[in-house]
Amino acid sequence: ADDTQRLLAAVLATARPLARTRAAHKAALLAALQNLPDGYVVAGTVTVNDSLDLLAQFMGVKEQVEALTNQAMDGSLSLERALEERLAIIDCSPADIKRFIAAHPPASRLAPGIKELITALQARGVAVYLISGGFRELTLPIAAYLGIPKSHVFANRMNWQWDDETGAPTKLVGFDMSEPTAHNQGKPQAIARIRQRNPYNTVVMIGDGITDLEAVQMTGGADLFIGYGGVVERPAVAAEAEWYVYDYQALVDSLARYRVAMIGSGAWACAAVRMMAQNTKVDDPADEFVDEIRMWVYEEDYQGRKLTEVINETHENPKYFPGFHLGDNVVAVPSIEEAADGADLIVLCAPHQFIHGICKQLMGKVKPGAAAISLTKGMRVRPEGPQLISQMVRRYLNIDCAVLMGANIATDIGREQLSEAVIGYDNLDHAERFKKLFQRPYFRISLLPDPVGAEMCGTLKNIVALGAGMVDGLGLGPNSKATIIRQGLVEMRRFSRALYPSVREDTFLECCGVGDLVATCYGGRNRLVAEAWTRAQMDGSPRTFEELESELLKGQKLQGVLTSNEVQEILRPAIHPAPCPLRVPSSPILQKRHWEQDYPLFTTINRIINGYLPPKFVVDYEVGCTFSDLAPTEGSDDD
Ligand code: NAD
Ligand code: 13P
């Protein structure tokens, strides 16, 4: 079958840049495929039989039409004449076409692998077009089945005689000569039209006919050509094609798949890797991810064996996330470089105090162009000022870094209970890719173009959670806790916007703001340890946070105490010069005097955990923040 008579072309295009390689060979094509979604276009034979020939057979005129088809293929009959004469012989009505489509549904006629290829390309953001030398009436059902929009279909249109009485089409009277596909060199013209309307950088044509090949031979047409010989092999096409395939699966297999690395293996890291492993191990042509996820595990002894060995044998992390199967496709590795090697998507989820060391270890070792996302809640305070984890990752690894923040208690997510998170992003493409990586039916993700706001929320709520734990330790009820949560939210917003004025007000109403605050103040580890610490204080048998962290959390880390001290370093430089004086001249808050009082809850919590005030002041924070010249109270951690 020739392109003059069959559905031929799927044209895929993308709006993303790729170096023009008109004289490309297979290597360039392969690179184009593998660098998706950086772009290419394809045109291809999508059915195993020609629609017009099949329609002729359906109408009982197969032989006559085939004879004309062959003449057109020989070049002894022009494309226009061949189409016109074949239509005249077929002489069908709209009702015949309906019956024909019902008798030959698209699924029964598709070339093997074409649906998978188109699905896979569309999932990667590549626009797919269908250019047919046949007729729109016959092509559209196939396009619909392939998920190609009508506006992406180029084909000839049948002309009908219309009944004056009923206003309905009755008799076929030829076809519309104005369509580019009605003429020789119609394909490059169709592609030129596509390019006029869309700023595609690279257009790849897949096809089996000489006129498909023309698409790359004419200025303004496609950039690259892939020959397809799965239905009919044409030596002339095979000889000219830079890449010739007999099976669309070969193209599906060549598409880029993203390799994922998890840096971290604590409770949240394991809950997150479990969701990712479920998403990467799917039998779906739209799957964009390599099945295997390498997870960096800070190596330690677990009951006389290496923790990595135990995880790889049992597919569970018995120390940090017991009772949850992580997935057979998660491989624990003790070397951070090996975990990150070749990864396109790097997920960071370790306690915040370790991230600086991790970044230093990974410097110069990550794949250029990789994208990172931080699940870590916390910040770093340096002499020059505060540094968010995402900023640190960007600076050290020289790659984009989004954040994922929300009310995400690890064990609840392991139990697959409904949870929400936002991905705070600068780069929308990366955020959408990460959304596909994390989203589960029970884990809802929305995209938020305020990465700094989201990260500040995740960081600061850990301080408020300590206050909530104190309220519980004091034996107070929900009204008091609600007061702490409300005031905490006010201070979180004030502090975030003081440091980063571009942070959005609405972010605090998202799941990363008020949502996480509620979850963490009721069910988090910071709350748990602060409650135990407060009770011990009240009982007159004080314990340190370190003791309780190791006793209650069994290796898991508390972030709130460190974060409170870090934030307080920012809040109090004018009163107590920190060991490394802070200088953030652009930040109005640091130029103010007595500004600890602008954050009465943060300040009071910090004074309590450092033993300068007894826990009962948590509900008297307006007073707690006003004292100066405080000495440690009896039984404080400093004792
Ligand atoms: P975790 O507190 O459960 O575990 C501590 C981790 O730190 C372990 O993997 C341990 O191997 C590792 N570790 C110990 N010493 C180390 C060192 N010197 N260098 C590097 N790593 C070391 O961890 P997590 O729950 O995955 O928490 C990671 C981050 O995620 C934190 O910022 C936390 O606030 C945040 N987070 C936690 C939860 C949760 O429910 N656990 C939920 C959301 C966010
Ligand atoms: P904790 O570390 O206090 O458990 O908080 C977990 C968390 O961040 C939930 O979103």
Side-chain angles (χ1 to χ4, degrees):
D2 180 74
D3 56 285
T4 54
Q5 4 154 342
R6 76 164 50 230
L7 286 178
L8 308 156
V11 180
L12 312 183
T14 160
R16 295 176 183 92
L18 184 83
R20 281 192 175 254
T21 48
R22 182 166 290 283
H25 350 81
K26 185 175 168 187
L29 278 162
L30 256 174
L33 283 169
Q34 284 165 358
N35 283 323
L36 276 175
D38 288 333
Y40 75 94
V41 176
V42 187
T45 303
V46 295
T47 55
V48 291
N49 39 34
D50 169 66
S51 292
L52 214 52
D53 279 352
L54 202 62
L55 179 62
Q57 185 183 338
F58 184 75
M59 298 296 291
V61 288
K62 179 170 182 265
E63 282 74 21
Q64 297 102 295
V65 166
E66 261 179 15
L68 286 166
T69 302
N70 287 335
Q71 281 183 42
M73 280 170 62
D74 295 348
S76 55
L77 194 62
S78 77
L79 192 59
E80 295 91 323
R81 279 281 305 283
L83 279 173
E84 205 166 14
E85 291 188 19
R86 281 183 296 168
L87 279 192
I89 295 169
I90 291 171
D91 190 25
C92 60
S93 68
D96 293 330
I97 290 184
K98 262 194 187 156
R99 284 192 297 113
F100 166 74
I101 289 166
H104 297 284
S108 66
R109 305 181 45 211
L110 289 183
I114 188 68
K115 187 161 172 55
E116 289 74 9
L117 176 63
I118 288 172
T119 306
L121 289 167
Q122 288 176 330
R124 287 160 173 77
V126 176
V128 180
Y129 290 81
L130 187 62
I131 303 182
S132 169
F135 287 93
R136 203 169 174 79
E137 290 75 357
L138 307 177
T139 308
L140 286 182
I142 290 175
Y145 185 77
L146 291 170
I148 298 174
K150 284 186 190 137
S151 59
H152 285 198
V153 176
F154 285 73
N156 298 310
R157 285 171 197 270
M158 292 176 175
N159 282 341
W160 299 95
Q161 182 173 305
W162 295 75
D163 187 301
D164 284 351
E165 297 303 318
T166 63
T170 50
K171 189 175 160 43
L172 188 57
V173 289
F175 69 103
D176 182 355
M177 293 278 192
S178 66
E179 291 295 333
T181 46
H183 309 282
N184 289 337
Q185 271 124 38
K187 299 225 170 74
Q189 281 173 31
I191 293 174
R193 273 196 200 176
I194 293 170
R195 297 190 101 145
Q196 265 168 18
R197 290 180 208 154
N198 304 279
Y200 301 137
N201 286 295
T202 306
V203 174
V204 177
M205 181 88 171
I206 301 179
D208 68 354
I210 288 288
T211 57
D212 297 325
L213 195 55
E214 279 174 4
V216 273
Q217 291 167 337
M218 289 195 56
T219 310
D223 302 294
L224 301 164
F225 178 74
I226 298 173
Y228 173 66
V231 176
V232 181
E233 185 176 354
R234 294 203 174 81
V237 175
E240 289 292 317
E242 288 113 346
W243 188 7
Y244 199 75
V245 295
Y246 292 91
D247 186 350
Y248 282 128
Q249 191 57 42
L251 300 183
V252 176
D253 293 344
S254 305
L255 295 179
R257 285 212 180 353
Y258 302 108
R259 175 170 277 286
V260 181
M262 166 56 91
I263 304 298
S265 59
W268 178 214
C270 287
V273 88
R274 182 173 178 271
M275 292 192 285
M276 297 192 301
Q278 289 171 353
N279 284 334
T280 60
K281 197 179 178 185
V282 286
D283 189 15
D284 179 347
D287 178 17
E288 293 173 49
F289 306 107
V290 173
D291 285 5
E292 181 189 275
I293 299 177
R294 278 190 229 130
M295 176 169 79
W296 173 62
V297 174
Y298 180 74
E299 190 66 287
E300 59 186 285
D301 179 87
Y302 179 75
Q303 297 182 351
R305 296 184 63 195
K306 287 183 174 160
L307 184 58
T308 46
E309 276 175 20
V310 179
I311 294 174
N312 287 333
E313 199 175 290
T314 62
H315 304 292
E316 190 180 317
N317 185 340
K319 172 150 185 191
Y320 293 101
F321 200 48
F324 295 99
H325 185 86
L326 301 180
D328 308 351
N329 48 332
V330 176
V331 179
V333 289
S335 153
I336 194 165
E337 290 88 353
E338 187 189 334
D341 186 36
D344 304 285
L345 303 175
I346 300 174
V347 182
L348 292 120
C349 184
H352 78 278
Q353 60 270 37
F354 304 131
I355 298 283
H356 186 233
I358 286 172
C359 284
K360 287 213 292 202
Q361 275 181 278
L362 287 177
M363 242 171 106
K365 309 256 172 57
V366 302
K367 189 170 171 177
I373 190 164
S374 167
L375 277 50
T376 294
K377 292 175 176 170
M379 72 198 304
R380 181 176 173 231
V381 176
R382 309 155 303 156
E384 314 88 87
Q387 186 180 43
L388 296 171
I389 299 298
S390 59
Q391 292 169 339
M392 196 194 299
V393 172
R394 270 191 216 115
R395 173 151 178 242
Y396 280 82
L397 306 188
N398 201 20
I399 56 176
D400 173 57
C401 185
V403 297
L404 184 143
M405 300 284 144
N408 301 149
I409 306 274
T411 41
D412 290 355
I413 289 176
R415 292 185 195 116
E416 306 195 354
Q417 295 176 4
L418 173 66
S419 305
E420 292 181 313
V422 298
I423 290 181
Y425 69 91
D426 286 322
N427 181 316
L428 182 59
D429 282 347
H430 292 166
E432 283 172 345
R433 208 167 296 152
F434 279 121
K435 180 174 177 175
K436 287 185 194 165
L437 182 62
F438 286 103
Q439 182 145 282
R440 299 294 301 160
Y442 56 90
F443 192 61
R444 295 183 190 159
I445 293 187
S446 45
L447 302 185
L448 182 72
D450 181 12
V452 172
E455 195 170 348
M456 286 301 284
C457 284
T459 299
L460 298 175
K461 63 87 191 169
N462 281 335
I463 304 176
V464 186
L466 296 175
M470 291 170 191
V471 165
D472 289 340
L474 291 168
L476 303 173
N479 296 355
S480 306
K481 197 187 274 190
T483 304
I484 298 303
I485 292 174
R486 183 205 54 74
Q487 178 65 19
L489 191 61
V490 168
E491 294 187 23
M492 282 165 59
R493 186 179 59 179
R494 189 180 297 157
F495 185 68
S496 304
R497 286 174 55 83
L499 285 188
Y500 304 102
S502 65
V503 164
R504 297 177 178 202
E505 293 273 350
D506 286 357
T507 296
F508 298 87
L509 300 178
E510 296 280 351
C511 62
C512 59
V514 68
D516 197 6
L517 198 51
V518 171
T520 206
C521 287
Y522 280 90
R525 303 173 297 188
N526 286 288
R527 187 219 65 81
L528 178 83
V529 176
E531 179 186 12
W533 182 87
T534 304
R535 280 194 204 287
Q537 295 274 322
M538 304 300 290
D539 292 349
S541 48
R543 310 284 308 275
T544 66
F545 273 102
E546 290 75 20
E547 282 167 2
L548 291 167
E549 180 187 59
S550 97
E551 198 173 298
L552 296 175
L553 302 185
K554 302 187 169 46
Q556 294 184 17
K557 297 289 180 201
L558 204 57
Q559 303 279 262
V561 171
L562 284 175
T563 301
S564 170
N565 287 331
E566 283 151 356
V567 166
Q568 213 59 30
E569 273 196 61
I570 300 169
L571 295 183
R572 72 170 164 229
I575 301 170
H576 306 287
C580 303
L582 289 160
R583 290 183 302 277
V584 187
S586 59
S587 171
I589 189 168
L590 297 184
Q591 292 159 9
K592 260 172 94 177
R593 291 217 164 254
H594 308 300
W595 35 260
E596 281 185 304
Q597 288 171 30
D598 290 340
Y599 299 90
L601 182 65
F602 285 179
T603 298
T604 301
I605 289 172
N606 187 259
R607 289 175 174 187
I608 294 171
I609 63 172
N610 286 298
Y612 290 98
L613 288 174
K616 64 177 185 196
F617 271 93
V618 72
V619 286
D620 231 346
Y621 52 82
E622 285 105 337
V623 178
C625 70
T626 57
F627 297 117
S628 56
D629 298 329
L630 287 168
T633 57
E634 208 183 315
S636 77
D637 277 10
D638 289 2
D639 287 350

